[in-house]
């Protein structure tokens, strides 16, 4: 069943070109540049009139939601709030029938997410489910939705489900932006073109980086702590990279917005601390370059995810993982792939059960 791979996690990482393709298929027409999402059409009136969108999720799905906040606010000019389902459900939030809630869940069975939307639904909110498991509880409770087509995810660490969530969230944002006319034709066209190419770009990362990342993993297998830093669209990816490493390798890892490091975490930096920068080219690239310099000045080890051809960062760092250069909004779906592989190989090097890390369940159906 593992198709020749040593673990489900690795198999699922390598399935991503296909699962992202499947999640876009029949929805994104690259030639016509049209997006078909019947679930969005179904609640289009609500979405257009929405005061805000609230995204509720847990864990990796919450990270997808955080990126969606950045993308939807930028492209659709709708206010978005991202909530941990467990906090949202207990803190008596203010909900009205003008609110649209997007619940993101691979399993569709996460108890906190399920109860959060049940409560919001009673208060009149419209629920849109972004779920992988067909017919699951969250899918059934939603007023409308879109499935991710990642297929069954067996590894406890979410990998292909996450990139499928991002693919569909990009479609939702682009579709709403187009209807609301909050995006220029040029930007729409650039993003659609980059989105169509994601499956082949992920394939390219897997082919060109796998061996390189094995070697990088070997160097850092015995690290005690890791810091993951990113800015803007790459900040949620820094959080996701850190979560993946924690659960798979049991190494303590923290994700932080790169500029926040000066407000505390920089005190941790010494020659023993690997710092992973998600540093693909974007509109404030020079800012992250100076953050890298700050770490180097304190003798931290820097590993960076960089865009192809970016020699500035490469010359500053100890190790680089290279991804194709795409628009900064689409870049995160590529940047996460090397981080998945890094945590996988570190976990394997440490002799751990990467498919079933201790203390974790695939779906958290208890509070
Ligand atoms: O099934 P869900 O997407 O609702 O699950 C949410 C989290 O439990 C899940 O993403 C968890 O954080 C993963 N183990 C992360 O790899």
């Amino acid at each position: 069943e593992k198709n020749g791979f040593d673990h489900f996690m690795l198999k699922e990482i390598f399935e991503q070109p296909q699962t992202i393709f499947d999640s876009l298929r029949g929805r994104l027409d690259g030639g016509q540049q049209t997006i078909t999402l019947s679930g969005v059409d179904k609640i289009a009136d609500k979405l257009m009139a929405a005061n805000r969108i609230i995204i509720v999720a847990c864990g990796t799905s919450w990270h997808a939601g955080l990126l969606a906040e950045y993308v939807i606010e930028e492209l659709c000019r709708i206010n978005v709030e991202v909530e941990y389902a467990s906090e949202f459900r207990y803190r008596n939030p203010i909900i009205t029938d003008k609110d649209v809630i997007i619940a993101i869940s691979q399993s569709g069975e996460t108890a906190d997410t399920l109860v959060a939307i049940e409560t919001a639904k009673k208060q009149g909110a419209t629920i849109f489910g972004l779920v992988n498991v067909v017919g699951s509880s969250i899918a059934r409770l939603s007023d409308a939705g879109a499935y991710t087509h990642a297929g069954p995810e067996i590894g406890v660490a979410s990998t292909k489900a996450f990139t499928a969530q991002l693919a569909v969230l990009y479609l939702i944002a682009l579709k709403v932006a187009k209807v609301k006319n909050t995006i220029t034709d040029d930007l729409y066209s650039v993003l659609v073109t980059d989105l169509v190419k994601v499956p082949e770009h992920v394939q390219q990362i897997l082919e060109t980086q796998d061996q390189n990342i094995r070697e990088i993993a070997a160097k850092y297998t015995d690290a005690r702590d890791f810091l993951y830093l990113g800015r803007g669209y790459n900040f949620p990816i820094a959080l996701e990279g850190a979560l993946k490493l924690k659960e798979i390798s049991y190494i303590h890892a923290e994700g932080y917005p790169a500029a926040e490091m000066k407000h505390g975490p920089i005190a941790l930096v010494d020659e023993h601390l690997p710092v992973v920068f998600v540093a693909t080219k974007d509109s404030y690239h020079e800012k992250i370059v100076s953050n890298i310099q700050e770490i180097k000045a304190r003798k931290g080890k820097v590993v960076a995810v960089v865009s192809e051809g970016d020699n500035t960062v490469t010359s500053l760092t100890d190790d680089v993982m290279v991804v194709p250069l795409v628009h900064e909004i689409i870049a995160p779906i590529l940047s996460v792939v090397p981080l998945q592989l890094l945590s996988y190989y570190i976990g394997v090097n440490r002799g751990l059960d990467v498919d079933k890390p201790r203390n974790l369940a695939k779906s958290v159906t208890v509070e």
Side-chain angles (χ1 to χ4, degrees):
E1 303 158 346
K2 292 186 199 136
N3 238 340
F5 289 95
D6 288 345
H7 298 95
F8 283 109
M9 182 178 174
L10 190 62
K11 167 179 174 270
E12 289 162 3
I13 291 172
F14 273 80
E15 276 172 354
Q16 290 178 110
Q18 187 62 45
T19 50
I20 295 168
F21 181 81
D22 290 342
S23 298
L24 298 173
R25 181 169 45 200
R27 293 169 166 170
L28 177 63
D29 182 328
Q32 301 294 318
Q33 302 227 316
T34 51
I35 294 168
T36 314
L37 279 171
S38 54
V40 171
D41 294 338
K42 195 171 164 195
I43 59 158
D45 295 349
K46 287 276 181 193
L47 266 173
M48 295 311 141
N51 288 341
R52 59 175 178 172
I53 293 173
I54 304 170
I55 300 179
V56 295
C58 304
T60 288
S61 297
W62 187 89
H63 296 151
L66 187 60
L67 179 61
E69 173 185 23
Y70 284 42
V71 176
I72 294 172
E73 289 201 344
E74 171 69 26
L75 300 182
C76 313
R77 310 310 295 158
I78 302 175
N79 179 12
V80 180
E81 287 166 29
V82 190
E83 301 261 6
Y84 289 110
S86 54
E87 288 296 313
F88 183 78
R89 63 178 281 200
Y90 286 113
R91 71 170 176 78
N92 194 15
I94 300 162
I95 313 281
T96 73
D97 59 4
K98 292 239 182 317
D99 289 318
V100 173
I101 306 227
I102 302 181
I104 308 177
S105 177
Q106 186 287 125
S107 61
E109 302 296 346
T110 299
D112 284 323
T113 309
L114 184 61
V115 179
I117 59 173
E118 259 166 12
T119 315
K121 198 174 179 178
K122 283 194 197 116
Q123 291 168 270
T126 301
I127 315 293
F128 184 95
L130 179 58
V131 172
N132 193 46
V133 176
V134 176
S136 56
S137 304
I138 293 171
R140 280 184 281 120
L141 203 90
S142 299
D143 298 298
Y147 282 113
T148 46
H149 296 297
E153 193 180 59
I154 310 294
V156 162
S158 183
T159 54
K160 63 175 181 169
F162 178 69
T163 48
Q165 287 165 348
L166 295 188
V168 179
L169 286 164
Y170 284 132
L171 291 179
I172 295 170
L174 282 167
K175 186 171 171 73
V176 172
K178 192 72 181 163
V179 178
K180 280 195 75 192
N181 209 8
T182 47
I183 187 170
T184 62
D185 291 346
D186 283 353
L187 181 58
Y188 180 84
S189 169
V190 166
L191 295 178
V192 164
T193 307
D194 274 356
L195 203 46
V196 170
K197 286 200 203 126
V198 168
E200 68 188 73
H201 280 153
V202 170
Q203 185 65 38
Q204 185 183 325
I205 295 167
L206 295 170
E207 281 169 15
T208 63
Q209 299 302 303
D210 185 51
Q211 186 54 36
N212 170 40
I213 295 171
R214 278 179 208 233
E215 287 161 21
I216 297 173
K219 288 167 72 171
Y220 298 104
T221 293
D222 296 323
R224 201 190 59 183
D225 305 277
F226 264 78
L227 203 54
Y228 282 72
L229 302 175
R231 308 178 73 110
Y233 299 107
N234 277 326
F235 165 52
I237 301 307
L239 296 183
E240 174 59 9
L243 176 62
K244 223 74 309 167
L245 189 73
K246 275 184 269 222
E247 60 181 339
I248 298 307
S249 72
Y250 314 157
I251 296 175
H252 166 248
E254 275 191 70
Y256 247 84
E260 266 297 303
M261 138 191 118
K262 287 196 226 45
H263 302 278
I266 199 162
L268 297 167
V269 178
D270 63 14
E271 68 275 24
H272 304 297
L273 184 78
V275 183
V276 178
F277 276 90
V278 192
T280 52
K281 279 257 174 171
D282 56 24
S283 24
Y284 21 73
H285 194 56
E286 71 288 352
K287 301 273 182 208
I288 203 143
V289 171
S290 67
N291 296 142
I292 294 175
Q293 283 160 336
E294 285 155 7
I295 298 291
K296 287 310 293 176
R298 287 161 184 84
K299 300 196 168 53
K301 296 272 181 300
V302 174
V303 183
V305 179
V306 302
S307 306
E308 213 170 341
D310 178 4
N311 299 323
T312 324
V313 173
T314 305
S315 62
L316 279 172
T317 53
D318 298 280
D319 297 286
V320 291
M321 305 182 270
V322 184
V323 298
L325 177 63
V326 296
H327 190 281
E328 61 180 334
I329 291 182
I330 305 294
I333 195 172
L334 304 182
S335 318
V336 73
V337 176
L339 302 184
Q340 296 168 342
L341 285 170
L342 183 66
S343 60
Y344 171 78
Y345 286 118
I346 292 179
V348 168
N349 291 344
R350 289 166 73 101
L352 300 173
D353 185 354
V354 292
D355 282 339
K356 267 193 120 310
R358 67 184 179 199
N359 309 338
L360 289 171
K362 182 60 185 163
S363 83
V364 183
T365 52
V366 292
E367 305 187 5

